[in-house]
Amino acid sequence: GPWSAESFKLLGPDSEKYEGLARVIDDTRFRSVLDLVEALNVGVVKVETGYCIGWSDTWSQYFLLFQPEKQQVALVALANTEVELEAARKRQRLQRLRGAVTGMINSLQKGKMEEAIGARQQELENRITANVRKDLEESYSAQAEQKVKEKEKEAEQKVKQKEAEVEHQIKEVEQKLKQTESEAEKKVKQKEAEAEEKVKQKEAEAEQKVKRKEMEAQHQIREAEQKMKQTEIEAEKKVKQKEAEAHHQIREAEQQMKQTENEALNQIREAEQK
């Protein structure tokens, strides 16, 4: 899993006593928790166990860095190491005490005394080791459990927050959908009203055009009738004029005939007189 800058524990300025606990990243490039976390996450440094030791210039001491899922394992390993360190310190003190006691009782029964001291020393070491281990394990277990509870609480709060955000977003989307539907319905009604208005307008225009055409047709019919009447009148006038001309020509012809008859009669009379 990924490494986190929140998952670490300070160890102190001395790393030698923790060399058996985990790998010590002794690299001048990584002088802080963040630097080492970034290097581990990008693969510049690889640690298979899930926890390691680094140096922090900010704290001026070493720290135990662990992956969140390896927290319990790392803290238990640290507790075991500290138990061993405490037991080693106790053994050193007991050895010094044993040396002092041994020097004082050289004149006594050396064999039995050493055996008794050895047994007592072993008993004390076992008791001290057990007590220290128990105290440290309980302490680190309680700390780990507390951190786990805190992480669970934070995760639960984040989940609730995300749920609230999602619910809020859903409500916003629903409101937007309703608003969009309302706007779409208004637009549809507006379009229908506009279309209906256009249809009415087109019908009115068509009706006006029909009426105009009817009026034009009636006007053309009246004009045609007037032209026909005028043509009939003109034709009648022409007929009357032709008739008058014919009558005039007939009268002239009759007059000429009478004149010719008169001339002929005159000639006959003149001839008879001769």
Side-chain angles (χ1 to χ4, degrees), residues 9-260:
K9 182 174 179 59
L10 297 175
L11 299 177
D14 185 12
S15 67
E16 292 182 358
K17 59 184 180 180
Y18 294 107
E19 288 181 353
L21 169 62
R23 176 186 171 187
V24 179
I25 309 299
D26 189 11
D27 195 323
T28 57
R29 292 177 298 172
F30 316 124
R31 309 293 293 179
S32 69
V33 176
L34 287 175
D35 290 343
L36 186 53
V37 167
E38 290 179 359
L40 288 165
N41 282 329
V42 299
V44 175
V45 178
K46 294 183 179 180
V47 177
E48 301 297 334
T49 57
Y51 54 94
C52 60
I53 296 173
W55 171 261
S56 171
D57 287 338
T58 303
W59 300 98
S60 297
Q61 56 181 303
Y62 288 90
F63 59 87
L64 175 64
L65 181 66
F66 44 83
Q67 293 173 321
E69 64 270 17
K70 295 290 185 178
Q71 178 179 353
Q72 187 71 23
V73 176
L75 293 179
V76 170
L78 177 62
N80 291 334
T81 301
E82 291 184 346
V83 167
E84 292 175 358
L85 291 173
E86 184 66 22
R89 287 193 292 270
K90 294 292 184 180
R91 282 195 296 271
Q92 289 177 358
R93 287 197 294 269
L94 286 173
Q95 286 176 358
R96 288 195 296 270
L97 179 61
R98 182 180 179 183
V101 172
T102 301
M104 293 173 63
I105 60 172
N106 283 331
S107 60
L108 300 174
Q109 297 178 354
K110 188 175 181 180
K112 291 183 179 180
M113 184 63 68
E114 287 180 352
E115 183 178 353
I117 290 173
R120 182 61 177 172
Q121 178 183 355
Q122 186 64 39
E123 182 182 354
L124 289 173
E125 286 181 358
N126 292 337
R127 186 180 299 172
I128 291 169
T129 300
N131 290 335
V132 171
R133 185 185 297 275
K134 182 179 179 182
D135 292 341
L136 288 174
E137 285 181 352
E138 289 178 354
S139 174
Y140 284 113
S141 177
Q143 291 178 4
E145 186 176 357
Q146 181 64 25
K147 286 188 176 181
V148 169
K149 288 181 179 179
E150 290 176 357
K151 293 292 183 182
E152 289 178 350
K153 188 174 181 180
E154 290 177 1
E156 186 177 356
Q157 289 177 351
K158 287 181 179 179
V159 169
K160 289 182 179 179
Q161 184 178 358
K162 289 293 182 183
E163 289 177 350
E165 290 176 357
V166 170
E167 187 175 355
H168 180 67
Q169 291 175 355
I170 290 172
K171 288 182 179 179
E172 287 183 349
V173 170
E174 288 178 350
Q175 289 178 354
K176 287 182 179 179
L177 284 173
K178 289 181 180 179
Q179 185 177 359
T180 303
E181 289 176 355
S182 178
E183 291 176 355
E185 188 175 354
K186 287 181 180 178
K187 287 182 179 179
V188 169
K189 289 182 179 179
Q190 184 178 358
K191 292 293 183 183
E192 289 178 350
E194 290 176 356
E196 188 176 355
E197 183 65 24
K198 286 182 179 179
V199 169
K200 289 181 179 179
Q201 187 176 356
K202 292 292 183 182
E203 289 177 351
E205 290 177 356
E207 188 175 355
Q208 289 178 358
K209 286 182 180 179
V210 169
K211 289 181 179 179
R212 194 180 302 118
K213 291 293 183 181
E214 289 178 352
M215 291 174 65
E216 289 176 356
Q218 290 177 359
H219 180 68
Q220 290 175 356
I221 290 170
R222 285 195 295 270
E223 287 182 349
E225 289 177 349
Q226 289 176 358
K227 286 181 180 180
M228 287 178 65
K229 287 180 180 180
Q230 187 176 357
T231 302
E232 288 177 355
I233 292 170
E234 290 177 354
E236 189 175 354
K237 285 181 179 180
K238 286 180 180 180
V239 169
K240 288 180 179 180
Q241 186 178 358
K242 291 293 183 181
E243 288 179 350
E245 289 177 355
H247 286 302
H248 180 68
Q249 290 175 358
I250 291 170
R251 283 195 298 272
E252 286 182 350
E254 288 177 348
Q255 288 176 0
Q256 287 178 0
M257 286 177 65
K258 285 180 179 181
Q259 185 177 359
T260 303

